[in-house]
Amino acid sequence: MKKFKDFKDLLIRQGSGARDDLSPVSDSNPSPPSSPLEVVAKTKDDREFPNDPTTEAEVIGSIEEYYFRDESFDSSKYELEKIPESMDQIELTKINDDRNRLRRQLQAVSKKMSDVILENQASYSKELVRVTELQECLNDASNICRNGRSELDMSMQGFTVASLGIMSKHKKKLQLSNLLKSLHTIKTLQRTDIRLREMLEEEDYPGAIQLCLECQNAAVTFRHYRCISELSSKLQDTLVMIEEQLDKALAKTCKDFDVRHYEKLQAAYNLLGKTETAMDQLHMHFTSSIHNIAFQIVLGYVQLVTGSTDSRYQKMHFRDLCSHVDLETYIPCLVDLCKALWEVMKSYYKTMEWHLVHDQKTEEVKSEESENVAAIGGSSSSVNTLYIKQKLEHGLTRIWQDVQQKVKLFLQATDLSSIKYDDFIYVLDLVNRLIDIGQEFCGSPSEGLHDSIRQQSLAYFKNYHSSRMEELRMFMENEGWELCPVKSNFTHLNLHEFRFLRPHSHSSSSHPYKENQLVGSPVSPTLGSVRGFFRKFSDKGSPFDKHDEDGDEESIGVMNGPNDEGMGFDDSDEEDEVAEELKQEYIDELTGEGPQRGGFSKRRNMDSLYSKGPTLCNTTIKVLRLYGKYMQMISVLKPIAFDVVLCMSELFDYYLFSIYSFFASDVSDISALGINSKLWTTLKRISNNITQQDQANPGINPMQPSENSGFPRVSPIVQLSGIDHLHGLAERIVGTESLVFLAQQLELLQPHLESVIPSSKKPFLQQFYSQTVGVAGELRGPVYRGVASRAINLERVLQMMMTVRWDIKDIMSQHSMYVDHMLQIFLEFNTRLENVSKRVRIPAEAYAVIWEHVIKLANRITVEGFATAKKCSNEGRALMQLDYQQFLLKLESITHLRPIPDKEFVEGYVKAFYLNEVDMENWVKEHKEYSARQLLGLVTCAISNKRTRNRIQNVIEEFEKNRVR
């Protein structure tokens, strides 16, 4: 077994080394066959198997894949490895079959190869001819090389030493010429630094950069010189210095933009290839400029006030530094701050405008070029332009936020509640202009500024309103309630404070900041949408200059204060004429000279002009002026509009309750005034809201404020007692009618107030007008009834009626004496009333209320006198009717009031005497306007049946118990 294995290994080694171990003798120069037919002949002689093409194809197809995988494949080893190791397993028959199969496959492959050779015999012959031709070409090339070398050898031997020297000197000459040119260039490069500094001083940044870059390129060319290496480093430092100068120059454009200067900067950065970096730096400079400018302006005013240059102020935060600004310099500091920040925003706007124009020009140039050139060079440029455009648009909001933050900190750092009203209105106007600028600049709602100014406004307005309420109380306590002469067509619009509401006022279109408020929707933050301020003040000036403030004075209503002499009239020719007449009349009185011809006529014209005017006093005009100022604050600051309206309602409440407390609360019998429930509720609500003492002591009668309450007391110079002047009727008329006039002006202002307050707050305003303003006219009743109740004394009349006998048997043709006495009282009252009308025009409403109440008092006294009758006959009832008809007849000649009011009260009572028992009981139940005493007197005289009389008397007593007090 072992011997068989060794034999097998030997065969394998011999098979694998058959190719490598061939002897050099046998394989050194194998002679190729003279022709392919020779190979074919040998193949035919060695053929052992029959020639069948179909069988040969199958035999070739049966060859295993291993024979085709690799050229180094050892087929002998492969076949020998198939023989089993053990002799017992060897089958000779199988081995013989494998041998025959391999021989058949070899024969088929050889046959196939012979066929292929026969097919390509022509190609073989052609290729053999080409090889022969190539061999001939190589022989010719070899001959040419040998001849060339021979000629070169002859040339070397033919040249002399002199000719070579000439060539050497010529070469040296060329080298020296090149060296001279290089030295001139190096000399120029050495002098470039001086020229660069001159160009930087001239602000020729593009030229300096272009020169520096050219020098750098030249330095690269001559870098083999030692001096040039130092120059290259110096040029690089110079380029860095130029970039620093560019950065400083770029920072200056944030404060004062110059088109030519900015064009040079952009050209310089374009040469450096740093336009995007320049835009990033520009935004950083804008941010730092806003901070530095704001800080330096505030610091300057702080040092101006303190008078020192203490370094501690320079180390403060901006918020803390703003808190050291004095109130006297607050407005100038704010104006300068707004102007400086305006310049920064204007520079940013001009920067955007320049890039917009530049981009448009670039697009026009590109459109003229060919499409290929544009496609090659336009890609990076378009990306760069888009980046700059987006950067500028995004920077709008960032710049405005920085500006807004600085002004917001400045506003919040100081308490403005103690400054003058006109100054505060001016501050509001400045901030509103800045807000409008921000709206145009980037479409921002400026919530930060709105919040800060709203806080300041609320704080200021609370303090201002408190002062005005105290001032109003002082006015009320010192008011003499004298008539203030005004024109017949006088309204609130004649006052200077209400000029902004006049239809003929200057339209907002004349002012750029008002023009923007008329735009329907906020503009989008793009360059094309920025207009208004930036267009008008593009070259010079700013929206915060003094001339702009003066031009807008009429719109915002800024003024120094009310002028009592002018009464807020318009400056018309008629006014000037009247003023001159008043002046002339005054001079005549001083000199004692009589008036000139025509003076009485002019005086009468003036009297007629003013006698028909509304009844006002100085305090009413003061309140109207306050309303005008309050509404000015509403117009410049809408967020606190409702708070201002609340304070306006407090002013009117205070005025209303003061008029009541002065002229209606001095009557002890409140029920006699006939105050209706709506007016009573309003007065009680006002008392509870204003009087702190009344809130702490609810038991106090709110209609009788004490001396310590929050309501004023009438001036001692005002006489509200005395029958000669009807208990101060003239003063009461002036006070009451001025209240009514004030209510009428408020009703005219209602549409404007509704337009400026939020929709959610309109119910309050409507309630205020319905429950407070609407009941102002009803205060006439309590005031004038109080005068009427004390202006006539009818006690004597009642005593005279008690002496009259009503149980007479004869019909009288003459009225009773008490009627004449009562008419005499009315005549005296009418005379006093006419005397009052000479001082103050009595309005028709006041005249009607006074006479109506006086007549009602007389009617009640008449009924009270009839009720005192113990017995009454039919003739006595006829006398009652006669007396009352006589009273009515004479009364119509005394008063102009028609019809005579309340006469049904007396006539119905007299007619009741004629009713039977059943009708009497029903009449008593239906007529509850009579008192129990009057009803009992009627029943006593008219009902003779005691049982019926007692029953009706019980009904009256029961009704009296349930009567509402």
Side-chain angles (χ1 to χ4, degrees):
M1 182 65 67
K2 183 177 180 183
K3 292 180 179 180
F4 176 77
K5 184 176 182 182
D6 294 338
F7 177 73
K8 180 181 178 181
D9 294 336
L10 177 61
L11 293 177
I12 292 175
R13 286 196 300 269
Q14 290 180 351
S16 60
R19 299 176 182 177
D20 300 332
D21 297 340
L22 291 174
S23 63
V25 178
S26 60
D27 292 339
S28 59
N29 291 313
S31 58
S34 59
S35 67
L37 297 175
E38 219 178 298
V39 178
V40 175
K42 292 181 179 180
T43 304
K44 290 181 179 179
D45 295 339
D46 295 339
R47 185 177 301 147
E48 298 180 3
F49 302 98
N51 187 10
D52 188 357
T54 305
T55 305
E56 289 178 358
E58 293 177 357
V59 171
I60 292 175
S62 65
I63 298 175
E64 297 183 17
E65 294 181 0
Y66 294 98
Y67 288 87
F68 304 103
R69 286 187 177 179
D70 192 2
E71 292 182 358
S72 63
F73 175 71
D74 191 351
S75 58
S76 299
K77 181 180 177 180
Y78 175 73
E79 293 297 334
L80 289 175
E81 284 180 352
K82 292 182 179 180
I83 300 174
E85 298 289 339
S86 176
M87 291 294 294
D88 297 337
Q89 296 178 355
I90 296 176
E91 297 179 4
L92 296 178
T93 305
K94 184 177 181 181
I95 293 174
N96 189 41
D97 294 338
D98 291 338
R99 186 178 69 87
N100 293 330
R101 175 178 57 79
L102 292 173
R103 292 179 65 189
R104 187 179 291 109
Q105 292 176 350
L106 178 61
Q107 179 180 330
V109 171
S110 299
K111 175 67 170 52
K112 184 67 174 180
M113 186 176 68
S114 298
D115 295 340
V116 172
I117 290 173
L118 291 175
E119 291 176 359
N120 295 283
Q121 182 181 1
S123 299
Y124 173 80
S125 300
K126 185 178 180 180
E127 189 66 26
L128 187 60
V129 172
R130 290 181 59 191
V131 171
T132 304
E133 291 176 354
L134 178 61
Q135 185 176 4
E136 292 176 356
C137 290
L138 291 175
N139 292 332
D140 294 339
S142 176
N143 294 329
I144 292 172
C145 288
R146 283 195 298 269
N147 294 333
R149 288 178 181 178
S150 176
E151 295 294 332
L152 287 175
D153 187 36
M154 291 176 64
S155 297
M156 288 180 62
Q157 295 176 1
F159 279 107
T160 62
V161 177
S163 61
L164 291 175
I166 293 173
M167 293 180 63
S168 176
K169 291 180 180 180
H170 181 71
K171 178 180 179 183
K172 188 175 182 180
K173 178 183 177 182
L174 294 177
Q175 291 176 348
L176 290 174
S177 298
N178 294 331
L179 179 61
L180 183 60
K181 292 180 180 179
S182 299
L183 290 175
H184 282 297
T185 304
I186 292 172
K187 184 179 179 181
T188 304
L189 292 176
Q190 293 290 346
R191 295 180 179 179
T192 302
D193 184 57
I194 300 174
R195 179 55 185 161
L196 285 174
R197 294 184 183 276
E198 292 177 354
M199 297 178 75
L200 288 178
E201 291 178 358
E202 297 172 359
E203 295 185 351
D204 186 9
Y205 301 110
I209 293 175
Q210 184 69 32
L211 179 59
C212 188
L213 292 177
E214 291 176 357
C215 291
Q216 281 186 335
N217 294 332
V220 172
T221 305
F222 300 102
R223 63 180 179 274
H224 50 280
Y225 296 104
R226 184 178 299 175
C227 61
I228 292 299
S229 61
E230 298 177 357
L231 180 62
S232 298
S233 177
K234 189 175 182 180
L235 287 174
Q236 185 62 33
D237 295 339
T238 303
L239 189 60
V240 173
M241 182 189 68
I242 293 175
E243 291 184 8
E244 292 177 356
Q245 292 290 335
L246 279 176
D247 192 62
K248 293 179 181 178
L250 189 65
K252 294 180 181 179
T253 61
C254 299
K255 302 176 184 178
D256 186 13
F257 183 86
D258 183 76
V259 175
R260 296 181 179 178
H261 183 68
Y262 191 74
E263 285 179 351
K264 293 180 180 180
L265 294 177
Q266 286 297 317
Y269 277 111
N270 192 27
L271 289 174
L272 293 173
K274 296 183 177 181
T275 53
E276 295 183 1
T277 304
M279 188 54 57
D280 296 337
Q281 288 294 116
L282 181 62
H283 281 80
M284 292 177 59
H285 288 314
F286 269 106
T287 302
S288 60
S289 296
I290 292 172
H291 174 76
N292 294 334
I293 289 174
F295 191 88
Q296 291 300 324
I297 289 177
V298 177
L299 177 63
Y301 276 93
V302 171
Q303 292 178 345
L304 178 65
V305 173
T306 57
S308 64
T309 57
D310 194 348
S311 60
R312 66 186 181 93
Y313 293 120
Q314 298 179 356
K315 299 179 181 179
M316 286 184 176
H317 292 290
F318 184 74
R319 183 192 300 272
D320 299 331
L321 184 65
C322 292
S323 62
H324 289 79
V325 178
D326 189 74
L327 284 178
E328 295 181 358
T329 59
Y330 184 86
I331 292 181
C333 183
L334 178 60
V335 173
D336 290 346
L337 180 62
C338 291
K339 286 182 179 180
L341 296 177
W342 156 257
E343 292 297 331
V344 175
M345 290 189 290
K346 184 173 71 172
S347 297
Y348 194 89
Y349 162 75
K350 289 185 175 181
T351 302
M352 291 190 66
E353 191 176 46
W354 184 90
H355 280 280
L356 178 62
V357 175
H358 180 265
D359 294 343
Q360 291 177 351
K361 292 181 179 179
T362 304
E363 292 296 330
E364 291 176 359
V365 172
K366 286 184 179 181
S367 62
E368 295 175 359
E369 297 177 354
S370 62
E371 295 182 357
N372 295 332
V373 175
I376 295 174
S379 178
S380 60
S381 176
S382 300
V383 172
N384 188 23
T385 302
L386 181 61
Y387 174 82
I388 293 176
K389 182 179 179 181
Q390 292 178 350
K391 189 73 175 179
L392 287 171
E393 290 181 353
H394 294 162
L396 283 170
T397 304
R398 179 181 174 185
I399 296 299
W400 172 244
Q401 290 300 329
D402 292 339
V403 171
Q404 181 182 205
Q405 183 67 17
K406 295 301 177 185
V407 180
K408 177 182 177 181
L409 292 176
F410 184 81
L411 291 173
Q412 292 178 345
T414 306
D415 184 11
L416 302 179
S417 59
S418 59
I419 68 174
K420 296 180 180 179
Y421 170 81
D422 297 337
D423 293 340
F424 187 75
I425 291 295
Y426 184 47
V427 171
L428 294 184
D429 179 58
L430 290 175
V431 178
N432 276 325
R433 294 187 194 185
L434 188 62
I435 291 174
D436 292 339
I437 292 173
Q439 178 69 29
E440 291 187 4
F441 188 67
C442 63
S444 173
S446 305
E447 296 178 356
L449 282 178
H450 278 296
D451 292 341
S452 60
I453 202 62
R454 186 178 188 277
Q455 295 173 5
Q456 284 283 12
S457 298
L458 285 176
Y460 175 82
F461 193 74
K462 288 180 181 179
N463 182 70
Y464 180 79
H465 180 64
S466 178
S467 301
R468 299 292 78 76
M469 289 294 292
E470 188 63 29
E471 183 178 319
L472 179 58
R473 177 177 179 177
M474 180 189 68
F475 266 79
M476 300 291 281
E477 290 180 346
N478 293 276
E479 177 63 59
W481 304 106
E482 295 291 337
L483 183 65
C484 181
V486 293
K487 292 176 62 175
S488 59
N489 60 348
F490 175 80
T491 65
H492 62 279
L493 294 177
N494 295 104
L495 296 176
H496 185 83
E497 288 80 0
F498 288 95
R499 278 191 175 184
F500 66 98
L501 292 179
R502 297 179 189 174
H504 59 273
S505 297
H506 293 299
S507 62
S508 58
S509 60
S510 61
H511 308 298
Y513 63 94
K514 295 296 182 183
E515 183 178 304
N516 181 60
Q517 294 176 353
L518 299 179
V519 179
S521 59
V523 294
S524 59
T526 59
L527 179 62
S529 64
V530 180
R531 65 180 188 274
F533 286 106
F534 297 98
R535 295 298 171 90
K536 180 175 182 179
F537 303 102
S538 176
D539 298 330
K540 61 180 181 179
S542 74
F544 308 99
D545 290 338
K546 188 66 177 177
H547 67 84
D548 197 72
E549 170 196 344
D550 295 339
D552 298 336
E553 177 182 354
E554 184 172 343
S555 296
I556 63 175
V558 177
M559 55 176 297
N560 293 325
N563 184 1
D564 293 338
E565 294 180 1
M567 297 306 168
F569 296 147
D570 284 337
D571 296 332
S572 60
D573 296 337
E574 185 179 3
E575 284 292 330
D576 295 338
E577 182 180 354
V578 172
E580 290 298 328
E581 292 164 357
L582 289 174
K583 184 176 180 181
Q584 182 64 43
E585 187 74 17
Y586 181 63
I587 294 174
D588 290 341
E589 291 175 359
L590 287 179
T591 58
E593 299 178 359
Q596 299 178 357
R597 172 181 279 181
F600 288 111
S601 175
K602 292 182 179 180
R603 182 70 182 184
R604 284 194 299 269
N605 292 336
M606 183 191 67
D607 290 341
S608 62
L609 178 66
Y610 285 94
S611 62
K612 296 180 181 179
T615 304
L616 299 178
C617 62
N618 289 329
T619 304
T620 311
I621 297 179
K622 172 65 178 177
V623 175
L624 278 176
R625 291 185 185 277
L626 286 179
Y627 282 162
K629 292 182 177 181
Y630 282 19
M631 294 184 70
Q632 289 172 18
M633 188 168 293
I634 292 177
S635 65
V636 295
L637 192 66
K638 299 293 178 62
I640 66 164
F642 181 69
D643 301 279
V644 177
V645 172
L646 279 177
C647 295
M648 292 177 66
S649 68
E650 290 182 10
L651 287 174
F652 188 80
D653 289 346
Y654 191 87
Y655 197 92
L656 172 65
F657 197 92
S658 298
I659 296 299
Y660 169 80
S661 62
F662 286 173
F663 305 125
S665 62
D666 54 351
V667 179
S668 57
D669 187 7
I670 299 296
S671 61
L673 300 180
I675 300 178
N676 58 34
S677 59
K678 188 175 182 179
L679 178 59
W680 178 265
T681 302
T682 300
L683 293 172
K684 189 173 182 179
R685 176 187 58 80
I686 297 173
S687 177
N688 294 334
N689 291 339
I690 300 179
T691 307
Q692 298 295 331
Q693 184 175 356
D694 290 348
Q695 293 178 355
N697 300 281
I700 298 178
N701 185 357
M703 300 300 108
Q704 298 291 337
S706 63
E707 294 183 358
N708 297 325
S709 66
F711 295 95
R713 296 182 297 274
V714 67
S715 175
I717 64 173
V718 179
Q719 298 296 326
L720 297 179
S721 60
I723 191 63
D724 292 336
H725 53 276
L726 294 180
H727 300 278
L729 178 60
E731 289 80 1
R732 296 174 192 266
I733 289 175
V734 172
T736 305
E737 296 306 318
S738 64
L739 171 66
V740 175
F741 177 80
L742 188 62
Q744 293 172 351
Q745 301 309 302
L746 270 180
E747 290 177 351
L748 296 177
L749 295 175
Q750 183 178 2
H752 181 77
L753 294 178
E754 288 181 348
S755 65
V756 296
I757 63 173
S759 300
S760 59
K761 304 298 182 181
K762 289 184 179 180
F764 166 81
L765 187 64
Q766 296 172 356
Q767 182 180 5
F768 167 70
Y769 271 92
S770 62
Q771 297 183 2
T772 305
V773 179
V775 301
E778 298 180 7
L779 195 59
R780 287 169 170 161
V783 173
Y784 299 143
R785 291 188 190 107
V787 173
S789 62
R790 293 186 296 173
I792 59 175
N793 186 4
L794 299 178
E795 293 295 330
R796 176 60 180 166
V797 175
L798 182 60
Q799 293 177 2
M800 294 177 66
M801 292 183 69
M802 294 174 64
T803 61
V804 176
R805 294 184 57 186
W806 303 107
D807 56 349
I808 56 177
K809 302 298 184 181
D810 299 327
I811 296 177
M812 304 296 295
S813 60
Q814 181 65 28
H815 59 272
S816 303
M817 295 298 296
Y818 74 88
V819 175
D820 295 332
H821 183 72
M822 187 161 55
L823 290 173
Q824 182 62 33
I825 293 175
F826 273 80
L827 285 173
E828 294 175 357
F829 173 76
N830 187 50
T831 301
R832 296 188 181 100
L833 199 61
E834 290 178 352
N835 293 334
V836 171
S837 66
K838 294 177 182 179
R839 290 181 54 198
V840 177
R841 184 179 65 86
I842 302 177
E845 296 84 355
Y847 184 87
V849 171
I850 293 173
W851 271 108
E852 180 180 355
H853 194 64
V854 170
I855 294 173
K856 284 184 178 180
L857 289 177
N859 289 338
R860 273 143 185 80
I861 288 295
T862 301
V863 172
E864 192 69 24
F866 291 161
T868 59
K870 302 297 182 181
K871 295 180 181 181
C872 183
S873 60
N874 291 331
E875 290 78 8
R877 298 186 187 97
L879 180 60
M880 291 180 181
Q881 291 180 344
L882 177 63
D883 292 343
Y884 190 67
Q885 291 300 323
Q886 178 67 19
F887 170 74
L888 293 178
L889 181 62
K890 296 297 183 181
L891 184 61
E892 289 178 354
S893 62
I894 298 175
T895 179
H896 301 290
L897 186 63
R898 297 292 186 275
I900 300 298
D902 202 41
K903 61 182 181 180
E904 295 82 6
F905 184 81
V906 179
E907 293 175 348
Y909 188 84
V910 174
K911 292 178 181 179
F913 280 97
Y914 298 97
L915 299 176
N916 55 35
E917 296 178 355
V918 177
D919 295 336
M920 176 64 71
E921 183 175 357
N922 293 331
W923 187 90
V924 167
K925 292 179 180 180
E926 293 174 358
H927 293 77
K928 299 178 181 180
E929 66 273 15
Y930 299 97
S931 65
R933 180 179 177 181
Q934 294 169 353
L935 293 176
L936 290 174
L938 175 63
V939 171
T940 302
C941 293
I943 304 300
S944 58
N945 190 331
K946 184 176 181 180
R947 183 176 180 181
T948 303
R949 185 170 60 248
N950 291 336
R951 186 178 70 253
I952 297 176
Q953 288 177 352
N954 291 333
V955 172
I956 295 173
E957 292 176 357
E958 186 67 23
F959 166 73
E960 187 66 18
K961 291 179 182 180
N962 299 328
R963 186 189 294 269
V964 178
R965 301 293 181 184

